[in-house]
Structures are given as C-alpha cells and as structure tokens.
Amino acid sequence: MPKRSRIWAWSWTLVVAASVLVASGVQRFPKPDFRSGYTVPQYTPPAVERTAAREWLDVGLLTGGLVLAGYFALARRSRRGLWILSVASLVWFGLVRKGCVCPVGSIQNVVLGLVSPADGIPWTVAGIFLLPLVAALVVGRVFCAGVCPLGAIQDLVIFRWRPLPLWLRQFLGMIPPTYLAFAVANVAVGAGFWICRYDPFVGLFRRSGPAGLIALGWILLLIGTVVPRPYCRFLCPYGVLLGWCSQLSRRHLTISPDQCIQCRLCEESCPFDAIRVPTPPHPDRAAARRRMVYALVLAPAWVVLGAVAGWAAADPLAAKVHPDCALAAELRTEESTGKKEQSWETRVFRASGRPLEQAEEADRDARRRLRRAWAWAGAWVGGVFAVRRIALGRRSELADYVPDRGQCLSCGRCFAYCPREYVRLGELDGIRGQP
Amino acid sequence: MNAELPRRAWLRQNAAAVAGLVFGGAATAATRRAASPHRLVWQIDPKKCVQCGRCMTNCVLVPSAVKCVHNFDQCGYCRLCFGYFDPGATELTTAAENQMCPTGAIRRRFIEPPYYEYSIVEDLCTGCGKCVKGCTTFGNGSLQLQILHHRCVQCNECAIARRCPAQAIHRVPVEHAYRMKSQAASVTATWRHKEDGPAHA
C-alpha cells in the first residue's frame, strides 16, 4: 500500500473512531484528575413550573367560571356579575396564565390527537376543549361573555356602535368557518397550529411576541371600539362550534325576564347585532318559495365549488404552508442557481447526506395530502355557506324580540333596556311596564 | 318567546345530544389513542441542535426561554475553552474582547492550574448558542441549549420549534423535561418508542 493512502486510511479510521466515541457518549476529552480535592458540581436544571395540579386547577377554574357565567346570565340576570367575572378571567387566564392552552387553540390539539396517535392529548386539554361546548349546549355561549380572556379584552374597549348591515355581517360571518376548516386541515397534514400562530391577543397578554401580531392585536382593539368584538364575531374559529351548540342549547338567556311587550326599547341595545326582531310574513310568498328552491338546488354546487377552490389553492400555496414543501422549493432554487446552502434548512438537509430525491418525495407527499385536506375544507365551507343561504330564506315565525342563539354571547347588556326587567326588580310599577 | 312546536323541540334535543356525543367522542378519542396520555413540555435535543441562533430570536418571550446550561459532568476542563474564548483571542484572560459570549454570561472560577470551572449566569444569557457551537465543535459539548421550564410559557405551538432548521425541538414527557446530551440517547429512545408504538398497533 502506498504511504499516502495509508495515511488517509489511518486518518479516516481516526475520524470514524472519534465520531463513534462522541455518538456513544464517550467524551472527546476525559476529565482531568484534580489534585486540589475539587469535586465536579452537578447541574440541576430549574423545575417544571407547569405541574399537573396547576393544570387541573385551571380546568377547575374554567368549570367554576362557566357555572358562574351561566348563573349570572340566566338565573341572576346580572350584567355587572358577568362583567366582573370576565375581568377576573382576563386577569387570570390572560395576564397570569398567559394564554396556552385555551379552548380556542385546543381544537387543534384534539384534531392532532385524532390524526396522530403519538400526539394524544391529556385529559386536562380534552376538558378545556369540551367544557365550554357542554356549557353552550346547556345555557348558551356564556363562555364568550364571562370566561374567555380574548373576548374580555375586546369587551372592555367597546365605546359606541352602529348596527352593521346584514349583507356585511353575512359576508364577514363566513370568515370563522373558513378559518376553522383550513386550520383543522392544516393540523391534519402537519402544517402547524395556525389558530395559535395568528392569535392577535396572546402577545398582549404576555407583553411580548412578534411585532406584527402585537400590532394586529392593537388594531383589532381599535376597530373593536366601534365594531364590538371583531375577533369573536368575524374570526374566532371556536365561536363556530360554540354557535352551533348554542343554537341547540337547552336554555338560553332571554331579553325580558318573563314576557316581551314589544316595546322595541332593546332593538339597538345589542352591540353584536344578535337580537332577532319580529318580522312580518313575507308579502310575496311565491317568490320566497322560489328563492328557497333556488338555494336548495344550488347547495350542491356551492359544495363542489368550495372543494374545487380548496384543491386548486393548495398547490400554489403549499410552499408557504407546509415545511416539507418549503424545504423542497428552497433546494430546487439552490440547484437551479448553483448557490448551495443559502439557508439553515438546506444546510442541515445537505449535511444529513440524504438524497435530494427524498426531499422531493416528501414534497410530493405533503402536496397530495394538502390538496385532499383543503378540498375537504373547501367543500365544508361551501356547505356552510349553502346552509346559511337556505336559513336566510326560511320563513320566520317570530313574534317577539329574542336573542339570536347562534350569535348571542350572553353578555347581558340588553337586560337594562327591558322595562319588564325593572318590574322584576321592583323598581317599576307593573302596570306601567305594560304597553 | 313564542311556544315552539313539540316536534321542533324534540328535534333540537336530539341534535343537541348528537352534538354533545360528537364533540365528547372526538375529545375522548383524541385522548384514548395516545399510548399513555403524558403531559408534555417542549425541549431541545442537543444532539440535533445546529446552533443556528434562532432560539434567541424566535421565542415569543424576550429574552428567550432558551438558555445555555453547563452540564459540568461532561466538561473536559479544556485549557483553551472554545465556549469561553473567542477563536481570535489574543490572550486567555477574562477581557471582554477575548470572550466568545456577547453578554459576558459565562463566568469562570479558578480551580487549580491550569483548570477553570465555567458556569452560566442565567439572567445574562440570551440563548444565542455561540458558546455551544464552540464547545460542540472543538470540545466535549458540555455547554448545551435547553428550554428552561421556569421561563417557558408552553405555547401550544412553540415558535422556535416551528423555525428550527434541524427539527431539534419536540414535546417530551414532563418526567424527562430536560435532555442533557449524556442522557439524550435514552430519552430519545423512549420518545421514539412512543412515536412508533401505537402507529403500528
């Protein structure tokens, strides 16, 4: 063997031996023998602050908060009670606990737990997800009014409001189901927790976070002074689930403590346009029925349109959404320009020695799953839209002023506008409370 | 409120029961399908860490919850500590220009010639990982980046994990909340087992 190759062989052996040593935990440099009697200290890392007891305490406080909110909204009919409760929740769940995990974000943990067994959720998270929904099934969306810190911070800045036109509410109201559907789809394909990533208020609770999101939080609060609770009404994905449950709730907050006297005083009391007003029967019933038939016939078309839109949007946006697609795109750019290792991601990938084909394979796989998930999400959004159109055309048999169960956040602002409430409190003579 | 038709009330009650069952079932299934519902916390695997510096900049907290920790047990007590001294250091003194750490967060204490003991001042450390890079490249790798759990707020999606180029940050069972390099092998093994186990079951 020539001398030169022997030296190479030796040095390679050394390198391999060294890497084996390091990999097996044997140290590159052994500890010296100290002569001064020095003993090597033991490093003890700080203890985990989040104990099981603390998590169960939060579940307990959430339960207590929901029970109290239900009591204040339905039994006691106390706006002040709900206000104090929401401020307390803002302080505790927002400023002290600083956010995670909250019911809004827990949707994603539940979905992840369903699609990937390794990420099964603890009972505490299951409870945090479930408790406000169960409360909504019993007494309506009391979580929104009394316990949610995201809602409370927006409720505090409400200054004045005007009713939003129906078409605008319908249009903006489609954002939450869309957000929910695509956030769930993204979790299912491993593209991250988008609801948490774009939570505008958690940065304010923590007094630190990405500058863009802090700014978004302040902007939403600013908008919230004249368009009350913009996040709750036109963004919150958990509000969609709460709205459904509230539609089906066993009991619900009422504007009047006993009977509506149609005095119209509560008409503009709701900052969230959640009061349904008595509507006269439609003058042209044939036309109404025709519109209803159109809405029914068109429903499948909306579903298909949504699915196609979701499918078509997945490919162009994949590199922005899924990390595997982003890596493959970066590698492709590097290969075409010839400038290698432009980012840490590609540097680590190339250092791992895996073939480029592996990144391409992961990219193709991620794109396939993303297309499928987004098509389902789009179809679902189309379905929601179709159902809402049908509901719009439905004949209303409303005689009294009642809260819209899906929209009403159970804040109790309308109590003070109802004359019957003052009769109940004994502050107004019963006769004068009548029309 | 107007009196509802009994039929509608009946429908509504059934729909409510179905909704309760669906959400309850989903939450329970999400719990049950875990191998064992561990409580999990975020942690860095120092073996995968490439010291890119994003731990310092991407944490939602300022300063970051990631800090350098010194696992003395692994330290080789190098005379030329590459975690402490800048590669361009002219003298092996404590002068600021000779130190690797931009905030002077590493303190050294004389033991006996020629050995010093190095420790991290947690409040000064920014988690930039410069010392970790030096120690890992040329030394034993006893300096390691770890998420300190009295600082971490346990975001539902760790903002650093999302941007970690080496995917070195994962949720780990709270019983193994820290992953020192010497222990990382065994911890990783249990974690892998957990990942793989139920998937094939």
Side-chain angles (χ1 to χ4, degrees):
Chain A
M1 204 186 245
K3 199 179 168 193
R4 201 144 158 211
S5 57
R6 215 179 311 158
I7 291 173
W8 269 114
W10 266 110
S11 48
W12 268 114
T13 318
L14 270 177
V15 166
V16 170
S19 51
V20 166
L21 280 178
V22 171
S24 60
V26 178
Q27 297 180 353
R28 208 179 271 159
F29 303 109
K31 224 184 290 309
D33 296 319
F34 297 106
R35 281 160 292 133
S36 58
Y38 166 78
T39 48
V40 177
Q42 179 72 37
Y43 174 72
T44 34
V48 182
E49 223 171 56
R50 173 171 291 208
T51 56
R54 207 192 90 167
E55 284 186 0
W56 281 109
L57 171 71
D58 279 348
V59 175
L61 286 174
L62 177 64
T63 315
L66 289 168
V67 170
L68 260 183
Y71 168 73
F72 284 135
L74 273 76
R76 185 75 186 274
R77 292 176 61 84
S78 163
R79 166 71 195 146
R80 181 181 294 173
L82 281 165
W83 188 83
I84 292 171
L85 180 65
S86 78
V87 171
S89 299
L90 172 62
V91 170
W92 182 257
F93 290 114
L95 303 179
V96 178
R97 285 299 195 235
K98 302 197 173 101
C100 295
V101 51
C102 78
V104 183
S106 69
I107 303 170
Q108 303 160 114
N109 302 62
V110 171
V111 173
L112 192 62
L114 285 174
V115 296
S116 132
D119 296 295
I121 54 175
W123 282 108
T124 45
V125 179
I128 284 170
F129 169 73
L130 214 50
L131 284 167
L133 294 175
V134 171
L137 278 174
V138 182
V139 287
R141 294 174 71 167
V142 290
F143 171 73
C144 303
V147 194
C148 181
L150 306 177
I153 195 172
Q154 295 172 83
D155 213 79
L156 288 179
V157 300
I158 296 177
F159 174 59
R160 59 175 52 179
W161 63 86
R162 308 217 51 148
L164 289 184
L166 180 67
W167 65 267
L168 187 61
R169 271 187 287 143
Q170 290 287 328
F171 175 72
L172 294 177
M174 275 312 292
I175 301 175
T178 313
Y179 192 11
L180 172 69
F182 284 89
V184 165
N186 286 346
V187 174
V189 299
F193 282 25
W194 287 62
I195 300 174
C196 300
R197 205 177 289 177
Y198 299 112
D199 182 334
F201 299 119
V202 74
L204 301 184
F205 297 155
R206 291 176 179 146
R207 278 89 78 200
S208 75
L213 279 186
I214 300 271
L216 179 66
W218 282 114
I219 290 171
L220 278 179
L221 286 183
L222 203 66
I223 295 173
T225 54
V226 287
V227 182
R229 290 207 189 206
Y231 183 81
C232 307
R233 295 159 73 199
F234 306 127
L235 280 167
C236 182
Y238 194 62
V240 179
L241 306 184
L242 286 172
W244 292 344
C245 289
S246 183
Q247 291 273 11
L248 304 168
S249 67
R250 193 159 190 86
R251 295 184 59 203
H252 196 279
L253 166 145
T254 55
I255 300 171
S256 160
D258 36 37
Q259 79 205 89
C260 177
I261 54 176
Q262 327 243 322
C263 65
R264 301 183 57 189
L265 285 173
C266 64
E267 226 173 32
E268 291 188 0
S269 68
C270 183
F272 315 116
D273 303 316
I275 294 180
R276 296 177 64 190
V277 297
T279 38
H282 207 279
D284 186 359
R285 287 191 60 178
R289 190 171 301 145
R290 214 164 35 241
R291 267 205 295 279
M292 183 65 118
V293 171
Y294 276 139
L296 280 170
V297 169
L298 276 178
W302 287 116
V303 174
V304 172
L305 186 71
V308 171
W311 179 277
D315 237 8
L317 293 175
K320 287 197 168 56
V321 175
H322 203 285
D324 289 352
C325 307
L327 174 66
E330 274 182 21
L331 286 169
R332 271 196 293 271
T333 318
E334 287 187 3
E335 290 298 314
S336 62
T337 57
K339 286 187 198 160
K340 303 270 167 76
E341 304 196 0
Q342 293 293 300
S343 74
W344 273 104
E345 279 81 0
T346 56
R347 204 172 300 168
V348 170
F349 181 82
R350 289 182 194 277
S352 72
R354 284 179 289 164
L356 282 175
E357 183 47 39
Q358 208 170 333
E360 291 293 336
E361 177 61 39
D363 177 42
R364 276 194 297 275
D365 184 50
R367 274 170 196 275
R368 206 181 54 239
R369 285 183 297 138
L370 197 67
R371 270 196 300 268
R372 210 168 46 195
W374 278 24
W376 278 109
W380 186 84
V381 173
V384 170
F385 183 70
V387 168
R388 287 191 179 181
R389 268 173 56 92
I390 295 167
L392 261 186
R394 204 183 50 177
R395 196 154 48 92
S396 163
E397 289 164 5
L398 219 52
D400 297 333
Y401 287 81
V402 292
D404 182 324
R405 287 188 170 209
Q407 305 291 320
C408 173
L409 307 174
S410 302
C411 71
R413 280 189 177 82
C414 49
F415 297 158
Y417 289 78
C418 183
R420 294 297 302 168
E421 177 72 7
Y422 294 93
V423 174
R424 180 183 79 95
L425 296 171
E427 293 171 13
L428 194 67
D429 190 359
I431 311 291
R432 270 189 281 159
Q434 298 288 346
Chain B
M1 196 191 261
N2 58 340
E4 281 174 322
L5 296 169
R7 182 171 58 101
R8 204 177 262 190
W10 182 83
L11 274 175
R12 168 190 290 220
Q13 272 172 25
N14 279 293
V18 169
L21 281 176
V22 166
F23 290 128
T28 314
T31 328
R32 281 284 172 77
R33 288 185 59 179
S36 62
H38 280 290
R39 295 190 320 110
L40 305 172
V41 290
W42 294 105
Q43 195 46 276
I44 303 174
D45 182 350
K47 285 196 162 173
K48 290 187 184 168
C49 172
V50 292
Q51 300 94 37
C52 63
R54 286 182 189 169
C55 283
M56 175 176 72
T57 51
N58 277 77
C59 185
V60 296
L61 300 179
V62 179
S64 170
V66 174
K67 305 271 176 193
C68 174
V69 300
H70 193 196
N71 194 16
F72 300 104
D73 201 34
Q74 263 179 284
C75 181
Y77 292 84
C78 308
R79 182 168 141 66
L80 176 57
C81 171
F82 280 95
Y84 188 80
F85 293 111
D86 190 87
T90 47
E91 288 176 289
L92 300 188
T93 66
T94 56
E97 68 269 23
N98 295 333
Q99 290 187 33
M100 174 73 97
C101 181
T103 58
I106 308 179
R107 294 280 153 80
R108 67 171 189 169
R109 187 172 71 85
F110 178 69
I111 306 169
E112 62 182 54
Y115 305 124
Y116 286 87
E117 181 189 285
Y118 298 91
S119 52
I120 312 290
V121 183
E122 192 196 301
D123 287 338
L124 291 181
C125 177
T126 59
C128 70
K130 287 198 166 81
C131 60
V132 180
K133 197 172 199 79
C135 182
T136 310
T137 317
F138 300 110
N140 276 358
S142 56
L143 293 171
Q144 304 162 16
L145 288 176
Q146 288 285 282
I147 295 173
L148 297 190
H149 287 299
H150 64 312
R151 291 176 180 268
C152 177
V153 291
Q154 300 297 346
C155 293
N156 214 1
E157 181 187 53
C158 173
I160 317 173
R162 179 158 79 84
R163 299 283 289 125
C164 175
Q167 280 145 33
I169 304 182
H170 291 283
R171 288 182 193 263
V172 298
V174 72
E175 297 83 28
H176 309 283
Y178 291 92
R179 309 177 85 175
M180 295 303 166
K181 217 178 269 177
S182 49
Q183 313 155 5
S186 64
V187 175
T188 315
T190 52
W191 182 240
R192 286 263 167 69
H193 170 71
K194 188 173 165 282
E195 269 175 3
D196 294 341
H200 301 299

